[in-house]
Amino acid sequence: MPVLPAAFLLASAALSWLTPAAAIWQWLLVAAALGAGLLPPEGRAREIALGFAAGLSAVMLGLLAFYAEEYSSGWSVWIAATGTLLIFAVVMLEGAPGTTRWSWLGERTVGLIAVAVIAAHLASPERITDDPGKTLQWWGATVVAVACLCLFVVRGIEQRRDTRALVAFVLGAAATVLVVLDLGSAVRTVYLPTVLVMLLLGVRPARGRPEFLAAARLSLIAGVLQGVADHGLVNRVDPPFVLGSVAKDHLILQIVAALLVAIAAYTARSSSSRSSRQE
């Protein structure tokens, strides 16, 4: 399975400049990718491993974007980035149940565009701060955001006959909005890869894979709070995640987002169980 070579590639990257807290996310991602590649294809355990691999990929890509400007001359950054992007691409390209062919094709196309935007951002992270409309990264991110909005409408229509699945889908989308709004202006700097992944998760259908979505979203939120935020949202001098009212505001928003994710997963799980019994 392609995810296994990608996991070993990421593990081989000597990222000695990561802080101990940040290095944890690298090895958690390696473990999740190994689980996704070695666990039996059918089963809840593999779905959870796939979800963690998707969410932790977003965290790792955010960390690499933060460090890319300072350490981009070293091979370790590009080895880690290649391994992480491969893990993310393989995990996100797995099929989503209960979707139409055009919906499936649209999501895969948007996912590939997001991978290209993230790769370009890692190569030139400073260019995203240029004026809007002047860089390919800006246009690519805009295309992904608009396409995800369209997919949200399509996926909502696809699930309209299953009330529980629709409620879970809307709750997951609400969590996505909270996370994106909380990151604020940092979307254009450190957090661009993380936000793009969160948008892609936000348009995934709720039914069929509740464990995957819950693991992906919760691990991403945890990374926002501890992994990437450990180095500041906007710059290295004045990180907003310091003790005080600002930190509390971020903490409250992320906890609310995590609660919405948990409720969405429970609702989607109930919907899946109910559909199985009816069949």
Side-chain angles (χ1 to χ4, degrees):
M1 191 174 181
V3 74
L4 292 178
F8 288 116
L9 186 64
L10 176 60
S12 68
L15 307 178
S16 58
W17 29 265
L18 286 179
T19 65
I24 292 174
W25 300 104
Q26 177 189 3
W27 295 108
L28 285 176
L29 176 55
V30 170
L34 290 174
L38 296 175
L39 288 171
E42 301 295 334
R44 188 179 301 179
R46 185 170 183 273
E47 283 293 294
I48 294 173
L50 286 169
F52 278 129
L56 293 171
S57 293
V59 175
M60 194 65 199
L61 289 168
L63 285 169
L64 292 174
F66 178 82
Y67 283 111
E69 185 175 357
E70 184 173 350
Y71 296 99
S72 59
S73 59
W75 280 102
S76 59
V77 170
W78 300 112
I79 292 174
T82 301
T84 304
L85 281 171
L86 284 174
I87 292 171
F88 170 70
V90 170
V91 168
M92 293 298 289
L93 285 175
E94 286 213 6
T99 61
T100 63
R101 180 183 300 177
W102 291 110
S103 174
W104 180 91
L105 181 61
E107 183 185 332
R108 296 309 179 274
T109 303
V110 174
L112 291 175
I113 294 173
V115 170
V117 172
I118 293 171
H121 181 61
L122 292 174
S124 302
E126 73 284 351
R127 295 194 65 193
I128 197 65
T129 58
D130 294 343
D131 292 335
K134 288 189 175 181
T135 63
L136 291 176
Q137 291 98 312
W138 188 91
W139 282 110
T142 302
V143 168
V144 171
V146 173
C148 284
L149 180 60
C150 295
L151 279 171
F152 173 78
V153 176
V154 173
R155 290 284 165 79
I157 294 173
E158 290 176 348
Q159 299 173 96
R160 68 188 183 279
R161 295 182 180 178
D162 188 339
T163 303
R164 287 178 177 269
L166 183 59
V167 170
F169 180 66
V170 172
L171 288 173
T176 298
V177 171
L178 280 180
V179 172
V180 172
L181 291 179
D182 184 39
L183 300 184
S185 61
V187 168
R188 297 177 60 196
T189 53
V190 176
Y191 275 108
L192 179 66
T194 310
V195 168
L196 292 179
V197 176
M198 193 66 180
L199 288 175
L200 293 174
L201 292 172
V203 298
R204 279 292 176 105
R207 62 189 176 205
R209 304 186 71 185
E211 295 88 359
F212 169 83
L213 286 175
R217 288 167 173 162
L218 289 175
S219 59
L220 189 151
I221 290 172
V224 169
L225 282 174
Q226 196 276 326
V228 183
D230 180 51
H231 309 285
L233 277 169
V234 181
N235 55 60
R236 301 161 193 254
V237 179
D238 184 26
F241 274 74
V242 294
L243 293 178
S245 60
V246 176
K248 291 179 182 178
D249 292 340
H250 286 290
L251 180 62
I252 291 172
L253 283 174
Q254 295 298 329
I255 289 177
V256 171
L259 288 174
L260 289 175
V261 169
I263 297 172
Y266 175 79
T267 307
R269 184 69 184 168
S270 300
S271 174
S272 300
S273 300
R274 185 178 179 182
S275 299
S276 299
R277 287 196 300 268
Q278 289 177 349
E279 292 175 0

